[in-house]
Amino acid sequence: MALAPGRPCQRSVSEAPSPTNHVRSVSPLVISPSVLIIVMLAGMFAVAGRLRQRSLPPAVRIDAVLPQTQCRQCGYDGCRPYAEAIAAAEAPIDRCPPGGDQVIRRLAALTGQPRRPLDSSRGQHKPPQLAVIDEARCIGCTLCIQACPVDAILGAPKLMHTVIADLCTGCELCLPPCPVDCIALAPKTSAFASLPGFSRGFDSDAARTRHEQRKHRLARNKIEQTARLAAKASAKLKGLETGSDSAAQRKRAVIEAALQRAREKLATTR
């Protein structure tokens, strides 16, 4: 069947697609005043934070860089005493095995001291670790509790002890005093390890706070114990009958000497 001849199908010029029909107009970017205010405030807070950090004493800024494991491998009784020694130019910056090269680099930038490798005599840098107690072998001696610098071990005399994993700094100070070797170290992982202050798998600011609180508690307990001993010696001295024999005089002399030592200790600790 043949098609009937006719005019070829043509599209009118008005019907042809225009190249500009598919181009969308782009409206200019408009930032609301509230967003601008938030950005400006954030910038102001950032600048204020940096200025405040620079105004802090050097020992405080150095202590903020240290990992707060309180392990004493540096030769000082905690991170803060080590920071104070660095600030006073009494200690080098290479004595922190838990911090490793990263902390040494930051301390060098902060103090102006030359960067140097880690002092291997203080120990080797290790990945974050966690103390784990074999609870079946634990005898409840509480020696590990007394050794922990951040109160990360929970227990009581003659009862099973356990480590609070989120609080443990991996300082290893609980290992030597354990009489039955029931404590081991295991790798420690944390979902917050990439955040500032969590590089060792724990909150370094919280560890610093717990360490300071522990030191204050121990100092307070020592004062209270000395006061109790002084009161006990004073009561014994008052209850002691006055006698002229040498035995009574020696006893009074011993009690008076103990009372005097207790008073002197109280005077120095308060």
Side-chain angles (χ1 to χ4, degrees), residues 50 122 176 250:
R50 291 181 181 178
R122 299 291 171 176
R250 284 197 302 269

Side-chain angles (χ1 to χ4, degrees), residues 38-54:
I38 293 175
V39 173
M40 291 175 62
L41 288 175
M44 292 173 61
F45 280 123
V47 173
R50 291 181 181 178
L51 292 176
R52 179 181 177 275
Q53 185 72 14
R54 293 177 181 177

Side-chain angles (χ1 to χ4, degrees), residues 20 94 113 229 262:
T20 60
D94 59 351
Q113 295 189 31
L229 293 176

Side-chain angles (χ1 to χ4, degrees), residues 69-149:
T69 53
Q70 316 299 341
C71 63
R72 304 176 190 167
Q73 294 183 72
C74 59
Y76 293 87
D77 189 22
C79 294
R80 182 56 184 267
Y82 180 41
E84 293 173 350
I86 294 176
E90 297 175 354
I93 61 175
D94 59 351
R95 293 186 178 181
C96 182
D101 291 336
Q102 181 180 5
V103 166
I104 293 175
R105 183 170 61 252
R106 294 180 63 187
L107 289 176
L110 182 61
T111 63
Q113 295 189 31
R115 184 179 172 184
R116 62 185 72 186
L118 177 67
D119 183 358
S120 59
S121 67
R122 299 291 171 176
Q124 298 296 326
H125 177 69
K126 302 176 183 178
Q129 53 190 6
L130 166 71
V132 179
I133 297 178
D134 186 348
E135 298 174 350
R137 296 169 55 197
C138 177
I139 61 175
C141 67
T142 73
L143 294 178
C144 60
I145 296 177
Q146 300 172 39
C148 180

